[in-house]
Amino acid sequence: MQIPKGLAPMVPSTEDALAAERTKAGFSVDAMHEFIVDSDMRTKVSKVEAVMGKEPETFSLRNVYFMSRQEKMDHALQIGTRLIELLKEGKVTGDEISIADMVLDINGPFGLHRTMFIPTLQNQATAEQQELFLKPALNYEILGCYAQTEIGHGSNVQGLETTCTYIPETDEFEVHSPSVRACKWWIGSLGVTATHAMVMAQLIVKGRPHGPCPVVVPIRSTVDHQPLPGVTVGDLGPKFGFNTMDNGFLLLNRVRVPRVNLLQRYISVSSEGKVSRPANVDPKVAYGTMVYVRTQIVRNMSQVLAKATTVAVRYTAVRRQFKGPESALESPVLDYSMVQYRLMPLVAQNYAMFATSQAFLLHYQQSMQELDRGNFAPLKELHATACGLKRWTSDVAIAGIDTCRHVCGGHGFSQFSGLNEFYGNAYPNIIWEGDNYVLSQQTARYLIAQVRALRAGKPVAENQTTRYLKRHMPGGQLQALARCSVEQLMGSAGAQLDLLAFRAAAMAASLVDAMDQGQSWNQSLVSIQRLCDAHSDFIVASYFRQHLATLAATSPLLPHLNKLATLLFLYTLEQHSSDLFRLPGEAAFTPLMVAEVERALARVIEDVRGQAVPLVDAFGISDFRLNSALGRSDGKVYENYLQWAMEDPLNQESGAVVRKQWFDKYYKPVLHPKSRL
């Protein structure tokens, strides 16, 4: 089936409209791309796209929207297997495979082996255990998953019911699921793939519990892939999205494993049943894998939102609806202020997320280096920051993708937009690795502890969080902040950061006051959510400004980036105007000031709109990655959209048999009821 020839051309064409948008660029798109996307990411993406481009029969995503779940999994396994072959051939590295997963957005069954099983072994296994488990895992001689969540326990890790009991008579651990509630659930790569599971279980030695610890449990034979004795394992079935991943369930019936299978870098159990930990070990070190995964979530959310904003901005720039009073042509949808209000803040947030992902990854790496030296002091703040940023970036990305889908109108509902696939695959990020509402409590708990330490005159660690708390509450008491006009705030990056920091500090102080007066933790949960968001708003804005500070003052990129940073700041204020009214003392905003924030935001949004297409082009998302009819870089939206629909198997010759069956079975009896006789 082909588009008929001789159809009248569109005037202006969508292709010409997108090209016209690019002529408005006030900066070099290539230079902006090099600044906002780190060189390591650029290099790896370029390489893996080149490698995959040579094998379209394996890596093409063109037909994925027509596939059933089983077909999608088969496709993902084909891709995953080929990537492992390329790794063994030396054509890609392990890190580049992770980039390939991100580029393809396939989330295949080998994914959790790389992102959770291997990092846990790297961080928590002894040298002996790494030889036993890490070496074969890196060679794909065993396939792993990370089995923490249970059907009855998710965020409450301490409440896990799976047990790992030491049996001194045989020098083994017995791993057991005592109830249905203890069944491991939602475990990625477990459903049909994994041969080994990194099981988080309650360590019990001589009848005494020692908390959740990771233990390696073989679950399937590496010879015939059949479940091993005592193991009940399977796939969870179709889901809202993420259907190329084999999320699974696991019940263990008193499965025995050697003592060496318990990861013992930070806790050890001797053959006599003596439990010991290295000196100066923070118990939270066992959560190191989760912190690592959260750094990856922050990075991945910036990438997936970039895909969505690229599609939405390009499409709304070429989609025309309704004639203006002074124009014979219909107006681009992106020229309507309501569309700009929904998209331009997303572009600003997206730029901030790219900067944040780079800064936070560096923060994580530096903290891990300190842990290797035996210094566990940075871990608590790292954990609190990871929780806050995971929540902030995934909340913004998921809501943002949905906004992008909505601004594309009815066409956003089509799978060919790409946006539905982005949304379904990204959605689990607000739940896994800590539900966002629960994670906020981890961030708030750290902030509350620091405020109380300051009030008690106790020393606090020196980090980005305590610096702003000490600045605004020396001795633990909140100090007044002089009021700035909206105009002054717009002209000063320092004043913007100071106000965001003061807002978070004031909210932390207010919450501590309320709790000290008897307000329970449960009664504080709504305030805790707001505090976590206020803290993360500051951290993200601070990371963004730090990244901009690396540019020369004369850089032609800087005016555009400063405008985006100011847009982000004003949007944050506008979205949380009730916080501004509640600021203590002279810092409190008046209704007139809030109205001025809204007017200033509208002006900046309108200004940024002119650069919208070049700004999303600078994300550097290829058409291969977008896999979208609406977001094509050449602007040929409608032709490609129609052609893609024509490629539906039902519209092909192969679909003629199905159509004939449906006609005979359903349509004909309705159209010709007498033919039933």
Side-chain angles (χ1 to χ4, degrees):
M1 185 179 288
Q2 296 292 328
I3 299 174
K5 297 180 179 180
L7 297 178
M10 289 176 284
V11 181
S13 70
T14 53
E15 183 180 10
D16 290 343
L18 195 61
E21 289 285 340
R22 291 184 171 123
T23 64
K24 302 175 185 177
F27 55 88
S28 164
V29 170
D30 289 341
M32 184 68 84
H33 176 62
E34 290 174 6
F35 175 71
I36 202 65
V37 181
D38 66 273
S39 60
D40 183 60
M41 176 67 74
R42 296 195 311 271
T43 301
K44 289 175 179 175
V45 167
S46 178
K47 178 181 175 181
V48 299
E49 286 194 350
V51 169
M52 293 188 295
K54 294 176 182 177
E55 301 182 26
E57 67 282 358
T58 298
F59 295 106
S60 173
L61 303 175
R62 177 78 178 183
N63 294 324
V64 72
Y65 300 135
F66 302 123
M67 293 179 181
S68 67
R69 189 206 172 207
Q70 188 170 325
E71 289 170 334
K72 285 183 177 180
M73 285 194 63
D74 186 84
H75 184 225
L77 283 166
Q78 179 186 8
I79 287 173
T81 300
R82 182 55 185 146
L83 286 172
I84 293 169
E85 291 171 351
L86 290 168
L87 174 70
K88 293 180 177 180
E89 293 168 10
K91 295 179 180 177
V92 296
T93 65
D95 286 345
E96 288 163 353
I97 287 185
S98 295
I99 297 296
D101 289 342
M102 180 200 72
V103 166
L104 293 164
D105 196 19
I106 287 291
N107 303 301
F110 297 115
L112 273 294
H113 175 76
R114 289 188 285 268
T115 61
M116 299 223 29
F117 187 72
I118 286 175
T120 303
L121 291 169
Q122 291 170 328
N123 293 330
Q124 298 187 50
T126 63
E128 177 191 5
Q129 292 173 322
Q130 290 187 355
E131 186 68 22
L132 280 172
F133 304 118
L134 178 59
K135 187 175 179 180
L138 290 171
N139 291 329
Y140 290 88
E141 295 165 7
I142 61 174
L143 298 172
C145 63
Y146 186 85
Q148 176 170 291
T149 298
E150 296 174 352
I151 198 170
H153 286 91
S155 300
N156 181 15
V157 178
Q158 294 300 322
L160 294 176
E161 294 186 28
T162 303
T163 57
C164 177
T165 305
Y166 182 57
I167 311 297
E169 292 80 5
T170 58
D171 198 25
E172 293 176 308
F173 285 105
E174 182 181 87
V175 189
H176 182 57
S177 308
S179 68
V180 169
R181 198 167 62 173
C183 179
K184 295 298 182 181
W185 199 260
W186 285 123
I187 311 305
S189 300
L190 172 65
V192 294
T193 302
T195 61
H196 290 65
M198 185 70 68
V199 177
M200 284 295 285
Q202 299 287 355
L203 176 62
I204 300 172
V205 181
K206 295 181 179 180
R208 182 183 174 188
H210 293 272
C213 294
V215 56
V216 178
V217 180
I219 57 172
R220 289 186 178 94
S221 166
T222 56
V223 177
D224 61 10
H225 214 235
Q226 292 302 303
L228 296 174
V231 174
T232 301
V233 62
D235 185 80
L236 292 184
K239 306 174 288 286
F240 176 79
F242 217 69
N243 280 305
T244 51
M245 176 60 72
D246 59 328
N247 295 89
F249 60 83
L250 174 68
L251 283 163
L252 300 168
N253 185 16
R254 304 191 183 283
V255 174
R256 296 286 186 94
V257 298
R259 179 167 54 89
V260 73
N261 285 38
L262 180 77
L263 298 196
Q264 300 195 33
R265 183 176 180 183
Y266 297 113
I267 185 171
S268 61
V269 179
S270 70
S271 58
E272 295 80 22
K274 181 181 178 181
V275 180
S276 60
R277 297 179 187 269
N280 193 33
V281 170
D282 191 308
K284 288 188 177 68
V285 75
Y287 299 153
T289 300
M290 286 190 291
V291 174
Y292 168 77
V293 172
R294 286 167 190 157
T295 68
Q296 300 308 296
I297 289 174
V298 172
R299 181 197 70 174
N300 292 344
M301 291 301 94
S302 65
Q303 292 285 339
V304 72
L305 182 59
K307 294 201 298 183
T309 53
T310 298
V311 170
V313 168
R314 285 178 180 170
Y315 175 66
T316 56
V318 303
R319 171 75 168 180
R320 293 177 178 272
Q321 293 288 284
F322 306 108
K323 293 181 181 179
E326 300 177 359
S327 174
L329 295 173
E330 291 184 296
S331 299
V333 171
L334 191 53
D335 282 351
Y336 291 104
S337 62
M338 194 64 242
V339 174
Q340 295 172 16
Y341 175 78
R342 292 146 76 193
L343 285 181
M344 296 307 101
L346 273 179
V347 174
Q349 288 172 321
N350 212 161
Y351 268 73
M353 286 166 66
F354 272 99
T356 296
S357 67
Q358 295 179 51
F360 182 55
L361 179 59
L362 179 61
H363 183 184
Y364 169 80
Q365 292 168 341
Q366 291 171 341
S367 297
M368 290 300 103
Q369 290 170 1
E370 290 300 311
L371 258 66
D372 289 339
R373 299 187 188 105
N375 176 18
F376 295 88
L379 192 57
K380 291 182 179 179
E381 196 270 341
L382 175 71
H383 175 65
T385 301
C387 290
L389 290 180
K390 185 267 185 184
R391 170 186 164 98
W392 194 96
T393 55
S394 59
D395 275 354
V396 167
I398 302 309
I401 297 168
D402 198 36
T403 295
C404 290
R405 181 171 60 170
H406 197 181
V407 299
C408 290
H411 296 326
F413 192 66
S414 169
Q415 285 293 93
F416 303 140
S417 73
L419 294 163
N420 298 288
E421 200 80 2
F422 303 163
Y423 187 80
N425 287 342
Y427 189 84
N429 287 277
I430 63 175
I431 301 169
W432 63 24
E433 300 312 315
D435 176 89
N436 282 359
Y437 285 99
V438 176
L439 278 188
S440 65
Q441 298 177 56
Q442 301 295 319
T443 303
R445 199 181 299 276
Y446 179 76
L447 291 166
I448 290 167
Q450 303 315 300
V451 171
R452 286 181 168 155
L454 288 172
R455 288 183 175 180
K458 297 178 180 179
V460 296
E462 181 69 17
N463 55 56
Q464 59 187 347
T465 299
T466 57
R467 276 193 291 273
Y468 84 72
L469 290 175
K470 287 188 289 186
R471 185 170 73 251
H472 290 294
M473 51 175 63
Q477 300 305 313
L478 195 68
Q479 299 295 299
L481 180 72
R483 177 183 293 173
C484 287
S485 68
V486 174
E487 184 178 356
Q488 289 172 322
L489 287 168
M490 289 182 65
S492 171
Q496 292 175 15
L497 293 177
D498 218 29
L499 179 60
L500 292 176
F502 182 76
R503 168 186 169 230
M507 293 172 72
S510 176
L511 181 57
V512 171
D513 289 342
M515 297 180 77
D516 287 348
Q517 292 169 16
Q519 181 172 289
S520 70
W521 188 263
N522 189 46
Q523 291 169 330
S524 304
L525 288 178
V526 174
S527 297
I528 282 170
Q529 311 301 313
R530 293 170 178 159
L531 172 58
C532 178
D533 288 341
H535 171 72
S536 298
D537 285 338
F538 166 74
I539 295 295
V540 170
S542 179
Y543 278 151
F544 195 12
R545 288 295 185 180
Q546 289 173 31
H547 195 50
L548 300 195
T550 64
L551 281 171
T554 56
S555 170
L557 303 179
L558 200 53
H560 302 279
L561 290 164
N562 278 330
K563 199 170 294 179
L564 288 176
T566 297
L567 194 165
L568 174 65
F569 168 73
L570 291 170
Y571 186 69
T572 300
L573 298 189
E574 190 255 5
Q575 290 290 293
H576 303 282
S577 57
S578 64
D579 293 346
L580 306 181
F581 291 129
R582 290 199 297 264
L583 290 174
E586 292 185 4
F589 275 48
T590 66
L592 288 176
M593 292 178 68
V594 170
E596 179 54 32
V597 167
E598 294 171 350
R599 288 191 294 270
L601 175 62
R603 291 194 300 271
V604 177
I605 284 174
E606 187 176 12
D607 199 11
V608 169
R609 181 268 175 265
Q611 301 295 304
V613 169
L615 284 169
V616 297
D617 281 352
F619 292 142
I621 310 295
S622 66
D623 286 341
F624 171 72
R625 288 178 66 187
L626 286 180
N627 202 32
S628 168
L630 306 187
R632 291 173 60 94
S633 60
D634 62 7
K636 295 180 179 179
V637 171
Y638 299 128
E639 302 94 321
N640 190 62
Y641 191 13
L642 177 56
Q643 187 60 53
W644 218 333
M646 289 178 171
E647 292 172 12
D648 187 318
L650 277 176
N651 296 325
Q652 302 298 304
E653 288 186 13
S654 58
V657 174
V658 175
R659 298 196 302 272
K660 178 67 166 58
Q661 289 173 344
W662 287 353
F663 177 78
D664 291 340
K665 190 174 182 179
Y666 304 116
Y667 305 140
K668 186 176 180 180
V670 171
L671 294 169
H672 308 286
K674 291 184 179 180
S675 65
R676 292 183 178 183
L677 301 178

